[in-house]
Amino acid sequence: MDEKNVFSQMDFGPLSEFLEDDDVTDISYSNGGQVWLKTLSRGVYQVERPDINNPFMEKLAFQCANVMGRTFNMAHPFLDSESAELRMNFVHDSIATNGIACLIRKTPAKIRLNKEKLISEQYITDQMHDFLIKCVWGHCNIMVAGETGSGKTELVKYLASNTKEDEKIISIEDTLELHLDKIFPHRDIVAMKTNNIASYTDSLVACMRQNPIWILLAEVRSAEAVMAVRNSISSGHHIISTIHADKASSIPMRMYALLEGSQDIEQYLSSIHRYIQIGIYVKGYYSKALNRFQREIMEICEFYVDDETNKPKSNILYSKTLDGKVTLHNPTKKLIDYLAIGNVYFENDDIFGLGDADSKEDLSNLRDSSQDNYANKETKNNLVDALNATEEGSADSTATANGGAAPSAPAPSSTGTVSPAPQVATPQPAPVAPQVAPVAPAQAATPQPVPATPVAAAQQVAPAPSTPSPVSATPVSTSAVTPASTPSAPVTQPAAPAAPAVTSQVQVQPTATVPPAPSIFPSVQSSGQVAVPATTNDVL
């Protein structure tokens, strides 16, 4: 059976319209009836198709299993199948608890990218595009990094299409996606597919015996693939491959993370920086500024080993932000010399026209990326609003505290007279029985003047005798209560002679300082009544 028509006897039903649309790259079915499409123009979005449901997808899965000669049930819950231009994956509902899941990816045998499209869609600048093509002509080893669906494979196909006609290419893949043998049927191209019989290592050994110029490895996702890459480049062959990484400069470290074992990190990174010349990072996202799904190269990095320190180094040649600002750096002398070995020359070492500057910014494709950074913008706005609300709340709390604060007790003047405070209606304190509590040993203190209130005159407490004696407490009337001016711990004093009462003002008589004696009884007025604090704030 022709591999291209392996699924020709299957009935795709309502999915046929998506399979025939060249703009659609992926079809995803999950969650009991949700259909999601991934397109080149709009990105990922959901479509409503009531006729695409669990019974239909189960029927399609059984058709696929029959065509491939496999079993799909609870004992074999996973089904993978592929043809020349289609790849399908099914997960049985015994594993996918919310219903059967399916992903259909289209891998057409054609190259979607060309220079005009790359420049017009701001995929890359014209100057950097020509530089990458010269790197291919000069046999640079290139690693393409990016997320799933960012377009790594398409970029590899485009770069491989710019190799020379007389250079032999061998591709090693675990799933067929490149299809270079069908795109260029007149060229010397061998397409190898690994399986449970022929591993990456076995395929690579056979590949080297075929004497290729280029080895195109599939995505590097395992330790075996990493070792295949290293063995390929260290043997003098040239590679173009893909890997998952968050930026171009982190490709060597990502490859080291995939290794299994305790290999020395410095030694491994030095070998990768020595044999891989170029790293490329591709990003795919929906741009609201451009109103389409945008794929573009965000970073191009040069790897090399410093001759003086023998340390691995990275030189970011090209970096791009979401607003379209491009920053350029000239390649090092090592890369220019490497390209010269492959008969690729430049007019001078100032390839990007930086002059005496270390870098240059290209603002020709500058665009408004505020909508593309909407999530970050919302986060920043919410943070600013929260800070403003906190400041306003603190100001209101301070104003309320200042406005509602009770007037402080009048302080004694320099002449020793105390001005009466304004009369304020205060609740009468309830009778309080004296409470005995342990008090820290008293320290020497001087008698303090007590402010007077309109209700009761200030009285002076005489020094405590050397031997305290317990005093019984009686309910206190408003005329006998002396509110304290500042919060202080109540000090127990024995009964003292009453001071002469005054009507409005009292002249504080100086008394001699007497060493205080420890006491455990409440302070008592001259009438034998206990002095009760006006508020709970006066009690420590």
Side-chain angles (χ1 to χ4, degrees):
M1 182 183 297
D2 186 6
E3 184 183 10
K4 185 176 182 179
N5 300 323
V6 67
F7 297 132
S8 59
Q9 50 185 310
M10 292 179 55
D11 181 16
F12 287 95
L15 293 175
S16 300
E17 60 173 305
F18 306 132
L19 297 176
E20 296 172 358
D21 189 353
D22 292 336
D23 191 46
V24 178
T25 60
D26 296 84
I27 306 170
S28 176
Y29 175 87
S30 62
N31 205 14
Q34 292 189 9
V35 180
W36 293 82
L37 303 180
K38 187 172 186 178
T39 62
L40 298 174
S41 58
R42 296 179 56 185
V44 180
Y45 62 94
Q46 186 179 6
V47 295
E48 295 293 338
R49 290 293 187 274
D51 49 349
I52 303 178
N53 47 36
N54 283 349
F56 169 77
M57 296 306 298
E58 291 175 359
K59 179 182 177 181
L60 184 65
F62 291 137
Q63 292 184 53
C64 180
N66 293 333
V67 169
M68 301 301 297
R70 299 177 184 175
T71 305
F72 183 65
N73 50 29
M74 295 180 62
H76 302 84
F78 305 109
L79 176 63
D80 284 306
S81 58
E82 60 181 325
S83 66
E85 298 186 358
L86 202 63
R87 188 176 70 191
M88 292 190 292
N89 175 267
F90 293 90
V91 180
H92 197 266
D93 55 10
S94 62
I95 301 297
T97 56
N98 58 346
I100 186 174
C102 174
L103 178 69
I104 303 176
R105 166 165 287 190
K106 298 164 62 177
T107 57
K110 63 180 179 180
I111 299 178
R112 295 190 177 103
L113 302 179
N114 54 69
K115 181 177 180 179
E116 291 74 18
K117 182 177 181 179
L118 295 177
I119 302 303
S120 62
E121 294 184 357
Q122 302 180 16
Y123 190 95
I124 194 174
T125 61
D126 189 5
Q127 187 179 36
M128 186 54 66
H129 170 273
D130 295 342
F131 176 78
L132 285 181
I133 298 304
K134 289 186 177 181
C135 288
V136 174
W137 294 347
H139 299 156
C140 287
N141 296 310
I142 302 175
M143 292 291 295
V144 181
E147 303 172 355
T148 301
S150 57
K152 302 185 297 295
T153 303
E154 288 297 325
L155 180 58
V156 169
K157 291 164 65 175
Y158 177 72
L159 294 177
S161 66
N162 287 275
T163 57
K164 298 179 182 179
E165 291 283 337
D166 58 347
E167 295 179 347
K168 184 175 183 177
I169 298 176
I170 296 182
S171 62
I172 304 176
E173 304 175 85
D174 51 0
T175 56
L176 298 176
E177 291 182 335
L178 294 176
H179 306 302
L180 293 177
D181 55 325
K182 298 178 176 60
I183 298 174
F184 304 105
H186 58 284
R187 293 190 56 177
D188 187 4
I189 297 177
V190 179
M192 295 185 180
K193 183 177 182 299
T194 61
N195 51 31
N196 56 352
I197 300 176
S199 63
Y200 265 107
T201 304
D202 299 333
S203 301
L204 185 60
V205 171
C207 173
M208 293 182 179
R209 293 173 180 172
Q210 293 283 327
N211 193 25
I213 301 298
W214 288 96
I215 299 177
L216 305 185
L217 292 172
E219 184 175 328
V220 178
R221 60 169 69 95
S222 64
E224 185 182 17
V226 172
M227 295 307 299
V229 170
R230 182 178 178 180
N231 294 336
S232 300
I233 57 182
S234 61
S235 61
H237 298 83
H238 312 294
I239 69 163
I240 303 177
S241 185
T242 64
I243 192 173
H244 283 280
D246 57 350
K247 55 184 178 181
S249 56
S250 64
I251 290 176
M253 185 58 70
R254 171 61 177 164
M255 295 177 65
Y256 178 79
L258 292 174
L259 280 179
E260 298 175 356
S262 58
Q263 186 169 356
D264 182 69
I265 182 173
E266 290 293 337
Q267 180 182 0
Y268 180 81
L269 293 180
S270 296
S271 64
I272 294 299
H273 280 72
R274 191 180 306 275
Y275 294 116
I276 295 182
Q277 284 75 40
I278 298 294
I280 304 174
Y281 174 65
V282 185
K283 184 177 181 64
Y285 64 98
Y286 184 80
S287 173
K288 293 185 177 180
L290 300 175
N291 196 25
R292 68 169 185 265
F293 189 80
Q294 176 71 1
R295 290 183 174 94
E296 54 189 351
I297 294 178
M298 306 300 293
E299 188 177 271
I300 299 176
C301 184
E302 171 197 356
F303 303 111
Y304 66 98
V305 176
D306 187 79
D307 292 333
E308 297 180 358
T309 62
N310 199 29
K311 297 291 185 180
K313 298 289 185 179
S314 299
N315 178 29
I316 299 179
L317 305 176
Y318 172 94
S319 63
K320 185 178 183 180
T321 58
L322 290 178
D323 59 359
K325 183 177 70 174
V326 173
T327 304
L328 299 174
H329 294 83
N330 278 324
T332 63
K333 182 67 174 177
K334 297 182 71 67
L335 180 58
I336 296 176
D337 293 342
Y338 181 88
L339 293 175
I341 297 175
N343 296 322
V344 176
Y345 302 96
F346 299 94
E347 295 181 358
N348 51 62
D349 293 346
D350 188 10
I351 298 175
F352 301 136
L354 306 185
D356 297 332
D358 294 334
S359 62
K360 181 180 73 173
E361 292 185 354
D362 184 2
L363 306 179
S364 58
N365 293 325
L366 194 64
R367 59 178 182 266
D368 183 14
S369 65
S370 58
Q371 293 180 333
D372 294 338
N373 294 329
Y374 185 74
N376 296 333
K377 182 179 179 181
E378 285 293 311
T379 303
K380 293 178 181 178
N381 290 342
N382 293 339
L383 180 60
V384 172
D385 295 342
L387 293 176
N388 293 337
T390 303
E391 294 177 358
E392 293 176 0
S394 301
D396 294 343
S397 301
T398 304
T400 303
N402 295 337
S408 59
S413 64
S414 61
T415 59
T417 61
V418 180
S419 302
Q423 298 185 4
V424 179
T426 58
Q428 300 297 332
V432 179
Q435 297 181 0
V436 179
V439 181
Q443 300 177 356
T446 57
Q448 300 294 332
V450 182
T453 60
V455 190
Q459 297 182 2
Q460 183 176 356
V461 180
S466 59
T467 305
S469 60
V471 180
S472 59
T474 58
V476 183
S477 62
T478 56
S479 61
V481 176
T482 305
S485 60
T486 58
S488 61
V491 180
T492 304
Q493 300 289 348
V502 295
T503 56
S504 60
Q505 295 183 350
V506 60
Q507 185 73 25
V508 179
Q509 299 297 332
T511 58
T513 303
V514 180
S519 177
I520 58 173
F521 298 99
S523 60
V524 181
Q525 302 293 338
S526 61
S527 60
Q529 296 171 336
V530 180
V532 181
T535 62
T536 57
N537 294 332
D538 296 330
V539 181
L540 293 182

